[in-house]
Amino acid sequence: MKELKIGMKDSMARTVTAEDVEMFAKVSGDCNPVHLDEAFAAKSMFGRRIAHGIISAGYISAVLGNQLPGQGTIYLGQSLKFLKPVYLGDTITTTVEIIAANEEKHIYTLKTECVNQLGKVVTTGEATVLYK
Amino acid sequence: MKELKIGMKDSMARTVTAEDVEMFAKVSGDCNPVHLDEAFAAKSMFGRRIAHGIISAGYISAVLGNQLPGQGTIYLGQSLKFLKPVYLGDTITTTVEIIAANEEKHIYTLKTECVNQLGKVVTTGEATVLYK
């Protein structure tokens, strides 16, 4: 296991595809037409199809589980604010940074942020994990 | 659009399949072996493969987007506590209930809860949505 310190950060970039959005709709059951139906989405406030907000939470989960803290991480909690829509084809860079550590209980708080290719924060929040 | 009142609730039940977990790993990039590798998971604290916690957040998103408030819901935020693991094959009943309403701003807070087939709460939290 690695030693965790406040200020450590890591990130991952992924591009959201139409196939991703369709698979997530199948997994979750969230078949909102703003995600799946181009004609419907064109008439919505978004103007075109958007990804499910929770897909960006999946990216956070990936960085936590794969990179920082990495394998062995137990996910205890997450807060999320969906600030801007994620469109199909957007490239989202997800960064996690350790901002608090309870070394006795092995519980860490990380700032979690998803930023699009224009540099706009689309999703922000905090994760709580157990790592020992 | 429907009229929303405090106390309104709705729910959905879904069974988590191995295919769901594999699709979610592809969408998110979260390939933690505790989700994907039976032999690894058998040696972990969980004893067998578990679903990604964020899949239960996907169920919450589905109930909000499909049922209550339903189509037209804009997802503003979500808090999540992952209280117990979700195993492959578990049937998760996800319930959302309106607990606060700002009718002037059309912003609603919902208690969100995912319960397994044994009646145990696996994921809890609150959602914030815009609906007008």
Side-chain angles (χ1 to χ4, degrees):
Chain A
M1 307 302 271
K2 69 188 79 161
E3 193 181 352
L4 301 182
K5 293 284 174 202
I6 290 171
M8 288 171 78
K9 59 163 90 176
D10 209 338
S11 64
M12 169 190 87
R14 279 178 82 90
T15 300
V16 186
T17 67
E19 191 190 5
D20 289 339
V21 169
E22 282 145 26
M23 283 198 291
F24 186 80
K26 277 189 200 158
V27 172
S28 65
D30 184 346
C31 299
N32 193 315
V34 78
H35 306 305
L36 301 173
D37 180 336
E38 194 59 62
F40 178 93
K43 289 183 209 149
S44 75
M45 65 183 282
F46 300 112
R48 55 200 170 96
R49 285 170 70 189
I50 58 168
H52 303 77
I54 295 293
I55 291 179
S56 59
Y59 296 161
I60 295 167
S61 166
V63 181
L64 296 171
N66 297 342
Q67 297 176 220
L68 182 70
Q71 199 171 296
T73 300
I74 307 295
Y75 207 177
L76 300 179
Q78 179 72 51
S79 64
L80 298 161
K81 283 188 185 170
F82 304 113
L83 301 178
K84 289 186 180 294
V86 174
Y87 293 96
L88 275 65
D90 280 2
T91 298
I92 304 299
T93 300
T94 301
T95 302
V96 309
E97 177 179 354
I98 300 173
I99 57 170
N102 180 332
E103 287 168 11
E104 201 175 316
K105 293 190 174 173
H106 308 280
I107 291 177
Y108 300 86
T109 305
L110 297 97
K111 181 183 173 193
T112 59
E113 196 169 71
C114 302
V115 175
N116 70 14
Q117 70 280 0
L118 304 172
K120 300 287 186 191
V121 178
V122 293
T123 305
T124 187
E126 287 185 11
T128 312
V129 301
L130 175 69
Y131 182 79
K132 62 175 182 178
Chain B
M1 307 301 271
K2 69 186 77 162
E3 195 182 351
L4 301 182
K5 294 282 175 202
I6 290 172
M8 288 172 78
K9 60 163 87 176
D10 209 338
S11 64
M12 170 191 88
R14 279 179 83 90
T15 300
V16 186
T17 67
E19 191 191 5
D20 288 339
V21 168
E22 282 145 27
M23 282 198 291
F24 186 80
K26 277 189 202 160
V27 172
S28 65
D30 184 346
C31 299
N32 195 314
V34 79
H35 306 306
L36 300 174
D37 181 336
E38 195 60 63
F40 178 93
K43 289 184 210 149
S44 75
M45 65 184 280
F46 301 110
R48 54 198 169 98
R49 286 170 70 190
I50 58 167
H52 304 77
I54 295 293
I55 291 179
S56 58
Y59 296 162
I60 294 167
S61 167
V63 182
L64 296 172
N66 297 342
Q67 297 176 221
L68 183 71
Q71 198 171 295
T73 300
I74 307 296
Y75 207 177
L76 299 179
Q78 179 71 51
S79 65
L80 297 162
K81 283 188 184 170
F82 304 114
L83 301 178
K84 290 189 178 291
V86 174
Y87 293 96
L88 275 64
D90 280 2
T91 298
I92 304 300
T93 300
T94 301
T95 302
V96 308
E97 177 180 354
I98 300 173
I99 57 170
N102 180 332
E103 287 168 9
E104 201 175 317
K105 293 190 174 173
H106 308 281
I107 291 177
Y108 300 86
T109 305
L110 298 97
K111 181 182 174 193
T112 59
E113 198 169 69
C114 301
V115 176
N116 69 15
Q117 69 280 2
L118 304 172
K120 301 286 186 192
V121 178
V122 294
T123 305
T124 187
E126 287 185 10
T128 312
V129 301
L130 175 67
Y131 182 79
K132 62 175 179 176

